[in-house]
Amino acid sequence: MDEKYSNNVLSGGHLGMVEVPNSRLTRYIVLLVISKILKALGIFESYDILKVVHIVQFIFILKLGSGVILLVFQKPFSSGKVISKRQWIKLLKHSVFSCIISLLGFFGLTLCGPLRTLLLFEHSDVVVIAFLGVLFTSSGGGPSKTRGAAVFIIAVICLLLFDNDDLMAKMAEHPEGHHDSALTHFLYTAIAFLGVADHKGGVVLLVVSLCLKVGFHTVSRKLSVELGGAKRLFALDNLVSAVVLLPWVIVLSATTESKVESWSALLLPFAMIIFSVVILEFYVEAICNAKMEVQRCARYGAIALFSSGLLLANFWTHPLTDQLRSMSKSPQESSTEHVLSGGVLVSAVFFMMSSSILSSPSKKGQKGTLVGYSPEGTPLYNFMGDALHHTSQSLPRFIKDSLKQILEEYDSRQIFYFLCLNLAFTFVELFYGVWTNSLGLISDGFHMLFDCSALVLGLFAALMTRWKATRIFSYGYGRVEILSGFINGLFLMVIAFFVFVESVTRLVDPPNINTDMLTPVSVGGLLVNLVGICAFSHAHSHGGKSCSGHDHGHSHHGHSHGDHSHGSHGHSHGGHGHGGHGHGGHGHSHSSGGGGMNANMRGVFLHILADTLGSIGVIISTILIRQFGWLIADPICSLFIATLIFLSVIPLLKDACEVLLLRIPPEHEKELNNALQKLEKIEGVLSYRDPHFWRHSANMIAGTIHLQIMSDVVEQRIIQQVTTILKDAGVNNLSVQVEKDAYFQHMSGLSTGFQDVLAMTQQIEYMKHLNDGTCIM
Amino acid sequence: MLPLSIKDDEYKPAKFTLVLKLSGWIRSILADKTSRNLFFFLCLNLSFAFVELSYGIWSNSLGLISDSFHMFFDCTALLAGLAASVISRWRSNDSFSYGYVRAEVLGGFVNGLFLIFTAFFIFSEGVERALEPPDVHHERLLPVSVAGLLVNLVGIFVFQHGGHGHSHGEQGHGHSHSLFNGTAREAAGHGHRGGHHGHEGHAHHGGHHGHSHHGHSHHDLDDERHLGSGKQILQGVLLHIMADTLGSVGVIISALLMQNYNLMIADPICSMLIAILIGVSVVPLLRESIGILMQRTPPSLDRTLPECYQRVQQLQGVYNVQQPHFWTLCTDVYVGTLKVVVAPDADARWILSQTHNIFTQVGVRQLYVQIDTAAM
C-alpha cells in the first residue's frame, strides 16, 4: 500500500534517462543533418558518374582522392607510432576487405539506384548490430527491439517484392555495357544464378554487404586501436586501398576502352563526391559520436539521410535539376533513372521507423528503483505501474494475450467468433462487389463493416470489463459493459430513426428498386445473422443455467425459439419475444448478482437481431415487389422494422440508464430494505443515515452507509454485523462509517454548507496545530 | 432516451391526471432557467420543423421533408437535454438514493454520442459524394437554410445569454470565448448540404475552460445543483446548436458557391472536414462524461488525493488506508469511500473527524470512512 501511494505522487513527474539538454546539441545535430544531406547528394551524383566510369576506376579515384586529402589533414606517416611489419600486413588485409565492401556497395548502387542504396546500405552500425542481435541472440533487448527488427525485415521485403521498378526490367534486358570486366560479369552471373531480377539481386547484395560492412567495422576496431586512432586508420586504409587497386586499374585501362569523353568535366563531381561521401561524413560522424550518444546520432542521421534521399529521388530527374546539371549529363540518360514507386516510399518509412526504434536506448533496469524522497522523507520507489507496463508490452505478445483473454470467457468468445464470421462475409462481399464493380454490393459491404463496429465495441467492452481496478478507476472497469450496452442501444435507436425517416420519404415517393442483386446478398446476411442469433441466445441460456431454477425454464424457452428458426418470419418473431423474455427473467428471478445476459451482450444481441430483421424485411419486400409489384411494400416493411427495433431497444436503454443513474438494483431492492430494517435492530445501533446502494457492474453492488451507534459499544463488532447482513443482501463492496453521537452532531453541523465546511476545516487545521487532538471531540 | 417512464414516487399520487402531470412538468421546466431556455428553443425548433414538414408535404418536395426530419433528429438531442435537466432536479427517493443528478451527465453523454453518430454519417455521406458528386438542387435550399440559420442563431443567442446569466462564476472566460466563437464562425463558413456542424470545437473549448476554472476556484455556490445541471447538458446542447448553425452557414455558402462558380467538389470535402471537426470537438465531452459514468477518480483530485492519503496515514494510530474509492456524482460533487486500518488503542472518533477534515478540504463532499481495527 505504502509504495502504491508514493508511486502515485510521482506519477506526474518525469522519469527516465537523464538527457543532455537539446539546446547544446542542436548545432551538432544540424551539422549531422547537413552532412547526411550532402552525402545523399554525393551518392546520387556518383550513381550518375558510375554510368560512364568503370566501377573499379571510380573506387580507385575515390580512395586515392580521399587518401591524399586525409594525408594532408592527418599526416598518418609523420604522426603517431611507427607501424610494424605485422601491422602493415593487417592493414593490407583490412584495406582489401574495405575495397571489396565498397565494390559491393557501389555495384549495388549501379543495380538498384541511389535511393534504394541509401535505404539499404547506409545504416548505422548501432542499428544493424541491434537488428542482428534480435535475430540471432536470445536476449535481443526486449519487445521494442523485436518490433524494430520486424519493421526492418518488412522494409527489406517491401523493397524486394513491392517495388515495381519497370525501368529496372528495361535495364535488365539491355545491361548497360559494364559487362566487360571480369568482376562485374561474375557478379551479374551470380545474381542471375540466384534467379532474381536485377535490382532485386542488388537489394540482396546490398543487404549482405551491409552486414559485411558492419562486421568489418567491428573487427577493425582492434586494428584502429593498434594503429592509434580511427582517423589514422582511415587515412592509411584509403591510401593502401588505392595502392591495392592500382594494378587492376592499370590493367583495365590498358585492355578496355573508356567511355569517358573528358576527365576534366568529371573533376568537380569527383571532388564533390570525395568531399561529401567520404571525408565530411567521416569527420562529422566522429564528432557527433563523441558529443552525443551513438544511438541518437544514428537516429537523427538515418532520418535525415533517408528523407533527403527521398526528396532527391523525387527531384533528381526533375527537368529543372536536369537544366542545372546539363553540363555533366547527356539528356538521353535521364530515361534510365529509377522511378519512385510506392514500395520504395513504404519501405523508406519503415526503414526510418526501424532505425529509430532499433537505435533507441533500451530502457532496462528501471523496475522498482529508488527514485527519490517525498517531502516527508519517505523513500519513493518507482514500481512498474500499469501505464508503464502497457508501453513495454510486445505487440505479438499483446495480440496473443488478448486473444487468449478473448477465448477465455464465454461472452467474448461468442462475440469474437461472430465478429470473425461477419468480417469474413463482409470482405467476401466487398471483394465480390469490387470485382463485379457493383456499387450496391460495395455499399452493403460498408454497411456490414459499420455493423461490425458494434461488435467490436461489444468485444472490447467484454475484454475491458475484466481489467483490474486501477488507482484512477478504483471500482474497476465493470461499468464499461453497461456503457457499451447503452451505446449500442442508442446506436440502434439512431439507426431505427434514420430507417424510419427514410421509409417515410419513400412512402411519399416510392423509388424503383433494382431487386436483382438484393436477394442473394440479403440471404447471405440473413444466414450469418441467424448463426449469430443462435450463438447468442445459446449464450444467454448458458448464462442463465448457472443461476437458478427459474432461469432454467426461461433458457429452455429461448432455446426452443432458437431451434424454431427455420422459417424466417417465425424466427424473427421468436427472436424478439426471446429478447423480451430474457429481460423479464433477469428482472424478476435472479437472486444472486451477476449471471444472465449482461447489458453488453444484450446490446450486441439486439444489434444482430436488428440486422436479421433488416435482412428479412429486404427479402420479404423483394418477394412482394417481384410477385405483386407492390413498391409500397418496401417502405412499409422498413417502417415496421424500425418500430420493432425501437421497441426492443427501450428495455435495454431503461436498464442501462437505471444503472448509470445509480439506482438501487431493482432485483435487490426488497432484500436491501429488509436488511436496513434488520440493521436498526442490531444492539447498539441508534439509526442509519445516507444509505446508498448501486449496481456498479454485473457482479458488483457497491454500497455506503452511515451508522449512528451508542457510545459504549464496540465499533468493530457493529461493522462486522452490518457487513454480514448487507453481504447477504447482495452488497459486496461496502463501506460503513460508524459515528458516535458527538461526532454526528459535529459533522451534521459541518455539512450545512460547503463554504462553512471550508472555513471550519481551516480553523480546525489551525487549532490542530495549537493543541493537537483535543480540539474537536 | 431517458427513463421518463420512471416516475418519482413523490410526484405520483394515484389521483394525478395527465393534465395535472403535464402542467407539473411544465411548471418544473419553467422553474429553472436552463430548462426554460431549452424548452423554448425546443418549441421553436419543433414548430420550424413542422412548418417545414407541412410545407414539404404540401409542395411535395423530398428535400424539405428529409430536412425537416433532420430537424426532428436535432430536436431529440434538445429533448434529451431538456429531459435530463428536468430529471436531474427530481428529489432522491428510496430507489435513487443519490437523486437523479446524474441525469445531467447522462444527457451530456447522449448528446455527445448523437453528435458522434451524426459526424459519422456526414463523413460517410461526404465520402460517397466525393466518389460520385450528385446534382444538388440549390433553388430551394437557400431560403430553408437561411431560416434554419436564423433559428439556430436565436438558439445560440439564448443559450449564451442564458448560460451567461446562469453561471456568473465563469463570466469572464465564457464571455470572451463566446465572442471568439462568433468571429470564428463567421470566418469558417464552409459549405455542406446536409446542414451540419463545424467549428464548435472552439465553443466547446470555451466551455471546458470555464468548467475547469470553475472546478478550481468557486466554492461559494449556495446551490451547486442548479449550476451543475447546466454544465454537461448545456455543453452538449450548445455543441449541437453550434454545429447546426455552422451547417446552415455551410449550406448557404456552398449553395452560393455552386450557383456562382459551379464548385461541386467543395461540398463533400467541406462536409468531411466538418465531420472530423465535430468528432474531435465532441471527444472531450464524451471522455469527461464516460469518466464520470464509470466512477473514475475525479481528474481534479488526481493530484491531491495521494497527499491526502499520506496525511491520513500520518495521523496518530493509523496503520493503513485501504480501498479508496473516489468518484464524481455530478459536476463538482465528489463522493468518496475509504477504509482506515487503525491501531487497537487509537482514538477512532478523532481519526474519523480528522479524515473528514482532510478530504473535505480538497472538495470531497460525501465521505464514508470505515474504521477497521487491526488484528492484534
Side-chain angles (χ1 to χ4, degrees):
Chain A
M1 270 299 141
D2 201 350
E3 290 85 5
K4 192 180 162 198
Y5 295 130
S6 46
N7 182 20
N8 298 341
V9 176
L10 257 185
S11 62
H14 188 258
L15 303 170
M17 283 181 66
V18 181
E19 296 212 341
V20 189
N22 272 327
S23 54
R24 263 198 288 158
L25 295 177
T26 314
R27 47 194 164 137
Y28 294 110
I29 293 170
V30 168
L31 200 64
L32 186 70
V33 168
I34 290 173
S35 83
K36 290 292 177 188
I37 291 171
L38 279 177
K39 180 171 187 183
L41 252 175
I43 294 222
F44 272 81
E45 190 67 45
S46 54
Y47 174 68
D48 279 351
I49 289 178
L50 272 173
K51 282 176 192 158
V52 284
V53 181
H54 192 276
I55 183 167
V56 183
Q57 283 172 335
F58 178 80
I59 291 170
F60 171 69
I61 294 170
L62 216 61
K63 296 272 182 194
L64 188 66
S66 51
V68 168
I69 293 174
L70 284 170
L71 194 63
V72 175
F73 277 112
Q74 288 292 325
K75 302 183 180 66
F77 295 109
S78 52
S79 65
K81 307 178 279 189
V82 183
I83 300 161
S84 68
K85 198 177 170 189
R86 265 185 52 204
Q87 280 169 344
W88 273 114
I89 293 168
K90 272 188 189 169
L91 191 62
L92 194 69
K93 278 187 207 160
H94 178 266
S95 51
V96 167
F97 270 116
S98 81
C99 275
I100 290 172
I101 284 166
S102 36
L103 255 179
L104 286 174
F106 281 105
F107 189 68
L109 176 66
T110 61
L111 285 177
C112 298
L115 174 61
R116 292 155 181 85
T117 312
L118 275 181
L119 289 181
L120 282 169
F121 194 58
E122 299 299 333
H123 283 285
S124 164
D125 295 358
V126 189
V127 174
V128 181
I129 287 169
F131 172 66
L132 292 176
V134 169
L135 283 190
F136 298 114
T137 60
S138 55
S139 59
S144 72
K145 299 274 173 187
T146 316
R147 214 172 300 157
V151 171
F152 194 95
I153 290 171
I154 289 172
V156 174
I157 288 173
C158 263
L159 267 191
L160 266 180
L161 299 183
F162 300 111
D163 183 16
N164 302 316
D165 198 349
D166 50 347
L167 278 164
M168 282 305 186
K170 221 190 289 169
M171 273 180 69
E173 284 162 22
H174 327 273
E176 298 271 315
H178 295 306
H179 267 268
D180 38 15
S181 107
L183 175 78
T184 43
H185 187 72
F186 167 71
L187 284 172
Y188 266 116
T189 45
I191 287 166
F193 179 71
L194 282 173
V196 286
D198 232 16
H199 82 282
K200 291 178 185 173
V203 170
V204 174
L205 184 72
L206 280 178
V207 171
V208 170
S209 54
L210 173 67
C211 295
L212 277 181
K213 183 180 91 168
V214 171
F216 169 68
H217 280 185
T218 320
V219 171
S220 70
R221 221 166 265 165
K222 198 181 158 201
L223 187 64
S224 79
V225 172
E226 269 180 43
L227 284 179
K231 287 173 189 167
R232 195 180 182 208
L233 172 69
F234 191 63
L236 284 174
D237 167 55
N238 271 320
L239 277 178
V240 174
S241 326
V243 172
V244 167
L245 284 174
L246 185 65
W248 197 352
V249 172
I250 291 170
V251 170
L252 265 179
S253 53
T255 53
T256 60
E257 213 170 291
S258 176
K259 289 202 293 180
V260 185
E261 294 96 18
S262 67
W263 282 97
S264 58
L266 289 176
L267 205 63
L268 196 67
F270 263 119
M272 189 256 170
I273 292 169
I274 288 168
F275 176 69
S276 65
V277 175
V278 185
I279 293 172
L280 184 71
E281 208 241 348
F282 179 74
Y283 277 110
V284 170
E285 281 257 308
I287 290 170
C288 289
N289 281 346
K291 295 289 175 189
M292 299 192 277
E293 311 103 72
V294 187
Q295 282 100 346
R296 268 176 102 186
C297 200
R299 205 181 323 163
Y300 290 123
I303 289 171
L305 192 64
F306 295 158
S307 40
S308 61
L310 274 179
L311 281 177
L312 281 174
N314 198 20
F315 292 117
W316 197 251
T317 53
H318 200 269
L320 205 85
T321 40
D322 275 349
Q323 258 179 13
L324 286 177
R325 292 174 295 123
S326 57
M327 70 271 266
S328 65
K329 256 186 80 179
S330 47
Q332 82 273 4
E333 269 177 328
S334 60
S335 62
T336 58
E337 291 298 336
H338 299 267
V339 290
L340 200 65
S341 73
V344 176
L345 271 179
V346 170
S347 72
V349 171
F350 272 122
F351 271 126
M352 279 187 217
M353 272 168 62
S354 76
S355 63
S356 67
I357 293 171
L358 284 174
S359 61
S360 63
S362 55
K363 292 192 177 75
K364 270 184 181 172
Q366 280 195 0
K367 282 183 194 173
T369 46
L370 180 75
V371 287
Y373 290 89
S374 72
E376 285 79 25
T378 47
L380 301 175
Y381 290 91
N382 168 31
F383 277 86
M384 290 296 275
D386 38 11
L388 283 171
H389 189 69
H390 270 291
T391 55
S392 70
Q393 230 175 12
S394 134
L395 193 68
R397 194 192 297 163
F398 176 72
I399 292 172
K400 212 175 85 186
D401 280 356
S402 41
L403 258 183
K404 204 173 127 200
Q405 270 188 348
I406 286 168
L407 297 182
E408 226 166 48
E409 209 138 298
Y410 197 80
D411 289 3
S412 49
R413 198 167 55 213
Q414 292 290 326
I415 299 179
F416 182 69
Y417 286 149
F418 186 64
L419 180 68
C420 286
L421 183 69
N422 229 336
L423 275 180
F425 182 74
T426 309
F427 277 111
V428 167
E429 199 173 333
L430 271 181
F431 275 121
Y432 191 73
V434 170
W435 189 42
T436 59
N437 205 11
S438 116
L439 259 187
L441 269 185
I442 292 175
S443 76
D444 200 69
F446 275 109
H447 176 82
M448 287 285 278
L449 214 59
F450 185 61
D451 283 351
C452 287
S453 70
L455 283 179
V456 170
L457 181 73
L459 182 64
F460 191 65
L463 270 190
M464 222 172 143
T465 310
R466 272 177 273 142
W467 287 5
K468 267 176 221 144
T470 61
R471 182 179 67 89
I472 300 291
F473 291 91
S474 53
Y475 283 109
Y477 291 84
R479 286 217 148 192
V480 172
E481 182 182 286
I482 288 140
L483 268 182
S484 139
F486 186 70
I487 291 173
N488 258 331
L490 266 185
F491 206 21
L492 274 179
M493 276 212 147
V494 172
I495 287 173
F497 183 83
F498 278 115
V499 169
F500 192 86
V501 168
E502 208 180 286
S503 57
V504 166
T505 46
R506 280 189 185 187
L507 210 60
V508 177
D509 177 27
N512 234 333
I513 307 168
N514 183 17
T515 52
D516 303 334
M517 200 51 110
L518 281 174
T519 330
V521 172
S522 49
V523 167
L526 178 68
L527 282 180
V528 168
N529 282 321
L530 281 185
V531 170
I533 284 192
C534 286
F536 281 96
S537 53
H538 187 70
H540 172 234
S541 65
H542 195 79
K545 254 178 224 167
S546 64
C547 246
S548 67
H550 254 285
D551 265 47
H552 211 66
H554 270 290
S555 72
H556 263 296
H557 201 58
H559 223 56
S560 67
H561 270 290
D563 289 340
H564 213 264
S565 67
H566 295 295
S568 50
H569 202 76
H571 177 74
S572 81
H573 221 72
H576 178 65
H578 169 70
H581 260 290
H583 166 62
H586 182 79
H588 285 303
S589 63
H590 285 258
S591 53
S592 63
M597 205 176 200
N598 59 42
N600 184 22
M601 291 298 274
R602 272 169 69 195
V604 171
F605 178 76
L606 280 178
H607 211 102
I608 298 167
L609 189 72
D611 275 4
T612 319
L613 285 179
S615 311
I616 292 166
V618 169
I619 291 172
I620 289 175
S621 62
T622 311
I623 291 169
L624 282 180
I625 289 170
R626 271 202 194 157
Q627 299 297 114
F628 306 103
W630 292 347
L631 283 181
I632 203 84
D634 180 45
I636 287 178
C637 258
S638 27
L639 264 184
F640 188 66
I641 285 168
T643 325
L644 224 55
I645 293 173
F646 205 79
L647 288 179
S648 61
V649 169
I650 282 177
L652 169 67
L653 276 186
K654 199 182 128 210
D655 282 8
C657 270
E658 279 180 3
V659 174
L660 288 179
L661 285 177
L662 303 182
R663 190 195 198 283
I664 289 183
E667 61 269 27
H668 292 262
E669 206 166 356
K670 209 173 272 176
E671 297 157 42
L672 282 172
N673 282 336
N674 289 339
L676 285 180
Q677 280 172 6
K678 247 190 258 173
L679 282 192
E680 283 195 309
K681 289 183 192 129
I682 295 176
E683 195 184 339
V685 173
L686 290 173
S687 68
Y688 61 88
R689 187 167 66 93
D690 291 352
H692 295 304
F693 303 99
W694 71 94
R695 176 179 286 287
H696 183 75
S697 63
N699 46 15
M700 178 180 180
I701 293 177
T704 54
I705 191 167
H706 284 207
L707 278 183
Q708 282 87 48
I709 59 171
M710 290 170 201
S711 47
D712 53 346
V713 272
V714 185
E715 294 167 5
Q716 277 309 296
R717 197 174 52 81
I718 301 274
I719 289 179
Q720 292 276 324
Q721 282 177 345
V722 170
T723 314
T724 329
I725 289 173
L726 287 175
K727 197 158 248 167
D728 285 344
V731 181
N732 43 17
N733 190 323
L734 182 73
S735 66
V736 185
Q737 174 166 324
V738 172
E739 300 152 352
K740 298 193 173 170
D741 33 5
Y743 169 81
F744 174 58
Q745 282 157 17
H746 171 69
M747 283 316 283
S748 64
L750 268 186
S751 54
T752 46
F754 202 55
Q755 188 60 37
D756 300 347
V757 175
L758 203 70
M760 261 173 103
T761 44
Q762 274 159 4
Q763 205 177 358
I764 288 161
E765 188 74 3
Y766 177 65
M767 279 166 71
K768 197 178 80 182
H769 287 298
L770 285 183
N771 44 353
D772 209 359
T774 56
C775 55
I776 301 153
M777 288 296 158
Chain B
M1 310 294 120
L2 288 159
L4 282 170
S5 54
I6 303 158
K7 276 118 201 158
D8 203 333
D9 286 342
E10 290 173 35
Y11 285 123
K12 200 184 65 175
K15 61 189 172 192
F16 254 46
T17 60
L18 188 69
V19 180
L20 274 178
K21 216 186 280 177
L22 266 182
S23 73
W25 281 352
I26 288 175
R27 212 180 304 128
S28 67
I29 285 169
L30 296 183
D32 181 52
K33 195 155 187 176
T34 315
S35 54
R36 196 164 58 216
N37 282 334
L38 268 172
F39 181 67
F40 285 143
F41 188 63
L42 179 67
C43 286
L44 185 67
N45 239 336
L46 269 181
S47 57
F48 182 72
F50 269 115
V51 168
E52 203 174 332
L53 180 67
S54 50
Y55 185 74
I57 291 175
W58 182 56
S59 67
N60 204 12
S61 123
L62 263 186
L64 273 185
I65 294 177
S66 71
D67 201 67
S68 72
F69 273 107
H70 178 82
M71 288 287 276
F72 278 125
F73 182 67
D74 283 353
C75 288
T76 57
L78 281 180
L79 198 67
L82 182 64
S85 74
V86 170
I87 288 171
S88 68
R89 270 180 291 124
W90 287 358
R91 247 168 274 157
S92 57
N93 53 25
D94 282 348
S95 301
F96 289 84
S97 53
Y98 280 111
Y100 293 85
V101 279
R102 275 211 159 189
E104 122 206 3
V105 183
L106 208 57
F109 181 62
V110 168
N111 253 328
L113 273 183
F114 273 6
L115 275 179
I116 286 268
F117 292 153
T118 343
F120 185 84
F121 283 124
I122 294 170
F123 191 82
S124 57
E125 204 179 337
V127 168
E128 219 167 87
R129 281 179 187 213
L131 292 176
E132 199 181 4
D135 277 350
V136 184
H137 306 287
H138 36 65
E139 309 87 47
R140 228 185 332 247
L141 268 178
L142 216 51
V144 172
S145 49
V146 166
L149 175 68
L150 282 181
V151 168
N152 282 320
L153 276 183
V154 169
I156 285 181
F157 179 73
V158 164
F159 278 100
Q160 283 195 343
H161 209 75
H164 195 84
H166 188 67
S167 52
H168 274 273
E170 51 187 80
Q171 212 174 43
H173 258 274
H175 204 69
S176 64
H177 270 283
S178 69
L179 274 181
F180 180 55
N181 287 333
T183 52
R185 200 176 62 240
E186 294 304 314
H190 287 298
H192 163 63
R193 152 78 193 85
H196 287 303
H197 317 284
H199 279 242
E200 68 281 6
H202 291 289
H204 172 69
H205 217 76
H208 201 67
H209 224 274
H211 170 62
S212 62
H213 196 72
H214 169 85
H216 283 302
S217 61
H218 292 268
H219 293 296
D220 54 340
L221 325 161
D222 47 358
D223 190 355
E224 84 286 347
R225 266 185 195 182
H226 256 236
L227 207 139
S229 86
K231 275 290 171 285
Q232 304 251 349
I233 298 170
L234 263 186
Q235 203 174 327
V237 168
L238 196 67
L239 267 180
H240 216 104
I241 298 170
M242 293 299 275
D244 278 359
T245 315
L246 278 164
S248 307
V249 172
V251 173
I252 292 170
I253 285 174
S254 76
L256 287 176
L257 272 181
M258 277 187 276
Q259 267 175 357
N260 296 337
Y261 304 100
N262 225 6
L263 282 172
M264 288 296 178
I265 193 69
D267 179 36
I269 288 176
C270 279
S271 57
M272 277 194 274
L273 267 182
I274 285 171
I276 290 170
L277 264 175
I278 298 170
V280 169
S281 62
V282 170
V283 163
L285 172 68
L286 272 186
R287 215 212 312 241
E288 203 179 321
S289 48
I290 284 180
I292 292 176
L293 289 177
M294 279 183 60
Q295 323 272 61
R296 184 196 196 283
T297 302
S300 56
L301 296 186
D302 265 359
R303 303 217 156 244
T304 46
L305 278 181
E307 286 170 29
C308 293
Y309 300 147
Q310 283 203 340
R311 282 175 61 190
V312 171
Q313 277 177 11
Q314 281 160 14
L315 292 177
Q316 203 174 17
V318 173
Y319 283 167
N320 212 340
V321 177
Q322 281 178 352
Q323 299 179 20
H325 297 304
F326 285 85
W327 46 280
T328 318
L329 178 62
C330 63
T331 315
D332 292 332
V333 181
Y334 303 128
V335 182
T337 64
L338 195 67
K339 284 185 186 166
V340 182
V341 180
V342 298
D345 55 345
D347 183 0
R349 285 174 299 174
W350 180 75
I351 288 170
L352 189 61
S353 63
Q354 283 300 309
T355 314
H356 269 269
N357 284 339
I358 287 166
F359 283 101
T360 319
Q361 279 173 50
V362 298
V364 179
R365 278 160 182 278
Q366 299 192 19
L367 189 67
Y368 297 80
V369 182
Q370 175 172 342
I371 292 190
D372 290 335
T373 312
M376 292 296 281

